Amino acid sequence: MATDQLLAPPATLHTSVCSLNHTQQDGSDMLQSHHHDPTNSESENLTPTTTYSEPCSSSTLLSPSSPTAKSFGGDTLRCRADSFNSVVESSRSRADSFNSRAETARSRANSDLTTLRSRFEGDDLTTEEALRPDRNNEKDFQVENNPFAFSPGQLNKNLNPKSLAAFRALGGIFGLERGLRTDLVAGLSVDETTLDGKVSFQEATESANSQKPLESRRIIVQDVIVTDREVKGQYHDRKRVFKDNRLPAKKPISIWRLFWNAYNDRVLLILTAAAAISLALGIYEAVGQPPDPEGGASLDWVEGLAIIVAIVVVVLVTGLNDYRRERQFSALNARKDDRQVKAIRSGKSVMISVYDVTVGDILHLESGDSIPADGILVGGHGIRCDESSATGESDAMKKTGGPEVWQRLVDGTATSKLDPFIISGSKVLEGVGTYLVTSVGVNSSFGKIMMGLQAENEETPLQVKLARMANWIGYLGTSAAGLLFFILTIRFLAGLPGNTDTPAKRGQSFLDILIVAITIIVVAVPEGLPVAVTLALSFATKKMFKENNLVRHLRACETMGNATTICSDKTGTLTQNKMTVVAGLLGTEVNFARDVDLDDEDKTVLTFATAFGKLSSTARNLLLQSVAINSTAFEGEEDGKATYIGSKTETALLTLAKENLGMGPVAEERAGTEIVQLFPFDSDRKCMGVVIRLASGVYRLLVKGAAEIMLDKATSEITDVSAETLEIDELSEGSRIKASANIDDFATQSLRTIAMLYKDFQQWPPNGVQTLEDDKHMAKFEDVCQEMIFLGVVGIQDPLRDGVSRAVQRCQDAGIVVRMVTGDNITTANAIAKQCGIITEKGRIMEGPSFRQLSDDDMNEILPDLQVLARSSPEDKRILVTKLKQLGETVAVTGDGTNDGPALKMADVGFSMGLAGTEVAKEASAIILLDDNFSSIVKAVMWGRSVNDAVAKFLQFQITVNITAVILAFVSAVASKEMHSVLSAVQLLWVNLIMDTFAALALATDPPTEKILDRKPTPKRAPLITTNMWKMIIGQAIYQLLVTLVLYFVGYDVLGYDTKCLLQNQRSRCQNLMEPQLGTCLVDESHKCTDLMHKQLNTMVFNTFVWMQIFNEFNNRRLDNKFNIFEGVLRNYFFIGINCIMVGGQVMIIFVGGAAFDVKRIDGTQWVVCILCALPCLLWAVVIRCIPDSYAALVFGTTAKIWLWFARPVMKVLRVIFGPVAKGFRALSNAVFAPTWRFSKRTVSKISKKKVQGDSETHASATDEEVGTNVEMTTTPNAPQTSVELPMQPPPITLTTPT
């Protein structure tokens, strides 16, 4: 009890003058007491012994009427001035309108004392205590200009943690309904924008007394069409106060941070430092030293500046590329989180985006749903939730409707086990119902968890493999660069005694050696490999979305390309999921069908109208109950048209009932029925059921499900469906055989067969049956579904999807085995499989029960030929997937139900159904089929193979460039007297840009064609680089090295260059220009012409090398041995555009690059020589493709063995020699660069934090401006305050009876 209580005078209630309202239930007198005006003689009079100056409060107490109250037990709470009380069953009036908080009630007549105890945790909390803000979320309780009774913070107290005390303090489900200005039956109005007026906290909480029970409210008029037009500013006030159901997107990495990340590479940093030193020395030579009288001012500074500019360009292109990739994946994440949920708005069930859910919405719940927002259960049957992901509670949590919980609070029978709370992020395991949304987005439980768990984009297995390969290639390139640096340094030191250059010149020469070595490392490290995978994946996922494949996990995209088997559902995937009842059987005698031979004299098969016209009203009502009541489908609208929403099987039956049984709106049919227990559909038992209470007091169990299973459950049948009094006889063997024959006949026509059973009971649960452990009023299905009465069977047609047969054939041509896994019986499954072309000559068909009994050896023997698994359960599907994976298969599987989750998780690639799939299935899957179509799976295979091909193409191209560039730079630098590579540092950076970025964009964006399915899947253990790829890599590298080295070493002789001729040309050029200093042009003419010829020749080598890469890029568009490398090139605009950029860039470099790129402009003849030397690489590729792969494999294998035999000892020696050097270099690098790295990292971090804080403040101020500046800030009251803060103590209450 609270200690701050006010002592009040005793009050006595005289029963002699008090008119009590008695309600008899179960033999007990029930008492209900209300506070009212004492002048009203027709109501209960509460006459105190002390005269009060005024009645209690102008408002009634919060207790709703309780016709089932058995005593004065429960929780009686105080009533303060201008305040509300939580739960009372007896009201007392006294001065200043104070009610006592009583835990005892005394009876003077009988001297009885009943002690009342709290029944749930927090029962003793006051309203203020129950809704008190936590220290870190006071802002959630402050709302400016709030038209609602509650703030987001107060609503969150329901679930922080689950609190019945907070639920009670908010007025229960009816207080929430009033305070949130919604309707528990009709939901929100679709026309709501801004709200006028305001509902006070007190008004909302006190309104619980006056709310009508849900059962007595107006039935939803389902024929009202809810507008689908866009309402401007819809739910403006709700979204302003409670936010929308979106989590703030993870703050994207700024483009400046991406630039920094691109530059933040140790090799680039070293190169920058070397370039800066080179630039400084060059400037010193040009400014601080006297100019060379022969050569003029020094231009050595140009190379240092050009390297820095090239580094900036590389960083900018890489950063922009990463920025584009980040934006694409952000868009993908936004799409994959969106989904449709079922809501009630304006009295109509509609499908809305999960992002459009707002506080006050009424949402549907059914088995398999992932709950999108927090709320309170309004009502339902058998709702159980898995809250392990939200609360860590592993047990299935049973939910109780909010109205029932409120009534239990009133009655004083509430316990902590009552749980009306629906938690976002949890899963509905079973049951159906509706709930009121109270928190969305960042205010919801799951939203708060996810705000701290926003994950980075995952790395796919292919990215990991390629990163590992890139490291190995980088090690080899680094070794080559280290060896080059070592050789050139020895030569430089050996030549120092005879070197007459200035110290600056000698320093510049050494820096040139260092820069070339570092640049070779830059070229050798293939950092573009993982980038190529990312580009291919981002491009593929975007295109796959347009083809109805929503990729949730990137690894699935690349894995799907190598799938060897697809285990597909039938319904909705191979078929259209547009179901229609086309035939059936009423009892065991009346056959009906849509297509009837009217000339048949026997009339054994009736039309729909004739068959249903024979039904008596009793049989019609029974059939109507089986279809309309035993169903979870409901009326709604899609694309602006009224329709049924739910399982297509159930919607087909509802359509049958509407057209032939005179069924009205489903809500009206269900409104007059008392549902006692509901058995949701279970894929293991293949049926669903419901128990209803008839007006006669009889309990009726209605069951429908798979026909052959239902027939086994039946022991009786209705012999005459036309009789008003149904005649029930034992189901004879002849009747059973006849019904079974009809079921088989329907199945051979590819019809899904659904049978309906029923049975009446005098009480529920029946005597002698097992009940549920946590609810003894609920019976176990297996115990009651025995000896049922057979009502009839319907055959439902579900046509094959257009193009599914061709899609299956394409999969089989691609080496993919298609298996059908279905819950239908073996006859139906066989018929559908034959229509699809799934069954082959050696194909086997099995049923699930037989399959799961096989031994491991038998299963391994049967699996390769198993093509149809009928009458299967989700567990059968999981076993099938597990065994196939153990056999080395790459398995893709489809699923739509909650129980399919394990199989979807187990598979290499899980496909869930976007239309018919449950949210649990979607979350367990890697790809969502937005159209539920098998043909879309084939598209996924094509794009998966395209991703793998794109990576292989780029890998083939990159390694070719790596080998050629590194060897060419190494050999030319060692052979050069000046120790300069034929490819300068800036030229190598340009080659690196072509190789790592442009080629990745060009080769990763080739769309797939149908021909990509003409080959078998790639095995799991296949190497990244195949024999065919090695053949092209080595062949092209040999040709490119041969041509470039010949040009470099013997270009003078091959091209017929004559020094004298060049000298004469130089003289004439100078004379034509009429230079006044003609002698300057002719000084040491032989030396100048030789130098000019040498630079032009180096330019030609560089130009030829780049053009070889451009032409070789076309060669790499094919990975097979076919010759047409231009196939589909005009459809790839990226490829065309990137090649235009590379060609344009190369032409500009040769013409205007000058000293920056260390090139000399070449004439037309020299251009022709370069192109003619590069172009034959296309013809050389044709020759390479003509070499059989087997011969190439033999040569490569032998060469590799010989190489390893020599290389291993050499590597050991090099490891001994250079190991200490490497350690010293690492230590020096850490000593020099580590402090700089740490400083820069801290600086960037501080800048980022300041920017984030600034953005937050800007966002907050912008939000304030949106709301308005002249509105006074108010705090929604946590609880009403008393006018006098004095100790309170409840007065003793005495009941006196007449003598």
Side-chain angles (χ1 to χ4, degrees), residues 126-145:
T126 65
T127 300
E128 183 177 7
E129 292 168 341
L131 300 179
R132 179 176 296 159
D134 296 328
R135 216 178 252 183
N136 59 347
N137 62 358
E138 289 92 345
K139 66 180 186 307
D140 293 340
F141 290 75
Q142 297 178 350
V143 180
E144 184 178 284
N145 192 25

Side-chain angles (χ1 to χ4, degrees), residues 1222-1232:
K1223 290 181 181 178
F1225 180 78
R1226 280 196 295 269
L1228 179 64
S1229 176
N1230 290 332
V1232 174

Side-chain angles (χ1 to χ4, degrees), residues 216-394:
S216 63
R217 299 195 188 183
R218 178 179 60 85
I219 297 175
I220 300 176
V221 180
Q222 292 286 331
D223 291 334
V224 176
I225 300 298
V226 177
T227 177
D228 58 355
R229 63 183 172 85
E230 182 178 353
V231 179
K232 187 176 181 180
Q234 190 178 41
Y235 307 124
H236 175 270
D237 279 340
R238 292 187 187 274
K239 294 179 179 178
R240 177 178 61 83
V241 174
F242 302 112
K243 312 301 181 190
D244 58 12
N245 198 31
R246 297 174 187 264
L247 296 180
K250 181 171 68 92
K251 186 174 179 59
I253 302 175
S254 69
I255 192 168
W256 305 110
R257 185 60 182 266
L258 291 172
F259 287 150
W260 171 253
N261 291 342
Y263 178 68
N264 192 20
D265 179 81
R266 187 166 295 182
V267 177
L268 281 181
L269 292 174
I270 296 173
L271 186 59
T272 304
I277 295 172
S278 175
L279 177 62
L281 287 175
I283 293 174
Y284 173 72
E285 284 186 38
V287 178
Q289 298 291 321
D292 186 354
E294 296 181 0
S298 173
L299 295 178
D300 288 344
W301 60 270
V302 174
E303 184 178 19
L305 178 62
I307 293 173
I308 293 176
V309 172
I311 291 173
V312 170
V313 172
V314 170
V315 168
L316 289 176
V317 173
T318 305
L320 290 171
N321 199 18
D322 290 342
Y323 181 68
R324 174 178 172 272
R325 183 188 64 191
E326 287 286 331
R327 290 185 60 186
Q328 284 186 340
F329 282 122
S330 296
L332 171 65
N333 289 332
R335 288 196 298 262
K336 77 179 184 182
D337 292 335
D338 191 14
R339 55 190 170 91
Q340 296 288 302
V341 295
K342 302 169 187 174
I344 299 176
R345 287 185 174 175
S346 295
K348 182 77 172 182
S349 295
V350 293
M351 303 295 292
I352 63 173
S353 168
V354 70
Y355 294 143
D356 294 333
V357 174
T358 187
V359 171
D361 261 322
I362 305 297
L363 299 185
H364 285 280
L365 292 174
E366 61 183 62
S367 178
D369 282 351
S370 179
I371 297 171
D374 292 341
I376 304 295
L377 184 64
V378 175
H381 298 280
I383 296 285
R384 291 178 182 273
C385 294
D386 174 13
E387 297 177 352
S388 57
S389 61
T391 65
E393 177 60 52
S394 58

Side-chain angles (χ1 to χ4, degrees), residues 475-772:
Y475 293 151
L476 294 175
T478 304
S479 301
L483 182 60
L484 175 64
F485 179 74
F486 178 76
I487 295 173
L488 295 183
T489 301
I490 296 299
R491 287 182 57 186
F492 173 78
L493 294 175
L496 278 180
N499 193 333
T500 58
D501 290 336
T502 63
K505 284 264 186 189
R506 281 178 282 181
Q508 182 67 49
S509 298
F510 180 76
L511 276 176
D512 289 342
I513 295 173
L514 178 63
I515 288 172
V516 169
I518 295 172
T519 309
I520 287 178
I521 297 177
V522 173
V523 174
V525 174
E527 63 270 15
L529 285 180
V531 174
V533 184
T534 308
L535 286 172
L537 286 172
S538 63
F539 182 75
T541 51
K542 183 178 179 180
K543 295 294 184 180
M544 287 174 69
F545 179 75
K546 294 181 179 180
E547 295 182 348
N548 298 310
N549 283 273
L550 176 56
V551 179
R552 299 185 68 250
H553 301 295
L554 289 178
R555 66 177 60 232
C557 188
E558 64 188 44
T559 305
M560 193 59 206
N562 299 323
T564 58
T565 183
I566 300 174
C567 300
S568 174
D569 284 342
K570 176 186 75 71
T571 304
T573 308
L574 299 172
T575 60
Q576 297 180 18
N577 206 18
K578 295 179 180 179
M579 299 195 181
T580 308
V581 177
V582 297
L585 180 68
L586 298 176
T588 57
E589 300 295 332
V590 180
N591 286 280
F592 62 92
R594 182 178 59 187
D595 300 323
V596 177
D597 184 5
L598 298 178
D599 296 330
D600 183 10
E601 297 180 357
D602 296 336
K603 299 294 183 184
T604 55
V605 180
L606 306 178
T607 62
F608 275 50
T610 305
F612 288 104
K614 286 189 172 185
L615 295 177
S616 65
S617 59
T618 307
R620 184 183 297 270
N621 289 336
L622 177 58
L623 191 59
L624 197 57
Q625 290 171 350
S626 296
V627 172
I629 309 302
N630 188 18
S631 173
T632 57
F634 54 90
E635 286 171 316
E637 88 176 23
E638 291 180 357
D639 301 326
K641 298 180 180 179
T643 185
Y644 295 113
I645 298 175
S647 162
K648 296 302 181 181
T649 301
E650 296 187 21
T651 58
L653 291 172
L654 289 175
T655 303
L656 174 73
K658 182 178 180 179
E659 295 175 352
N660 298 279
L661 297 176
M663 183 185 73
V666 175
E668 293 182 3
E669 298 290 343
R670 295 171 180 171
T673 305
E674 180 183 350
I675 297 177
V676 178
Q677 185 174 354
L678 187 143
F679 302 101
F681 177 80
D682 186 279
S683 52
D684 289 326
R685 59 182 178 233
K686 305 294 182 188
C687 64
M688 63 185 297
V690 66
V691 180
I692 61 175
R693 185 178 182 181
L694 305 179
S696 61
V698 172
Y699 295 89
R700 175 167 290 171
L701 169 63
L702 302 164
V703 180
K704 71 168 183 274
E708 64 276 13
I709 296 178
M710 295 296 97
L711 187 60
D712 290 341
K713 299 284 186 181
T715 57
S716 304
E717 63 169 323
I718 300 176
T719 55
D720 187 1
V721 295
S722 61
E724 285 297 331
T725 302
L726 297 179
E727 298 181 5
I728 310 299
D729 288 338
E730 181 181 354
L731 184 62
S732 64
E733 188 63 25
S735 296
R736 186 181 297 276
I737 292 174
K738 184 177 181 181
S740 181
N742 276 277
I743 293 171
D744 289 341
D745 182 52
F746 295 156
T748 55
Q749 301 174 48
S750 303
L751 302 183
R752 167 172 285 188
T753 54
I754 302 296
M756 290 167 282
L757 313 176
Y758 84 100
K759 187 177 182 180
D760 290 339
F761 298 88
Q762 295 303 313
Q763 67 178 46
W764 194 264
N767 290 328
V769 302
Q770 297 185 58
T771 57
L772 302 181

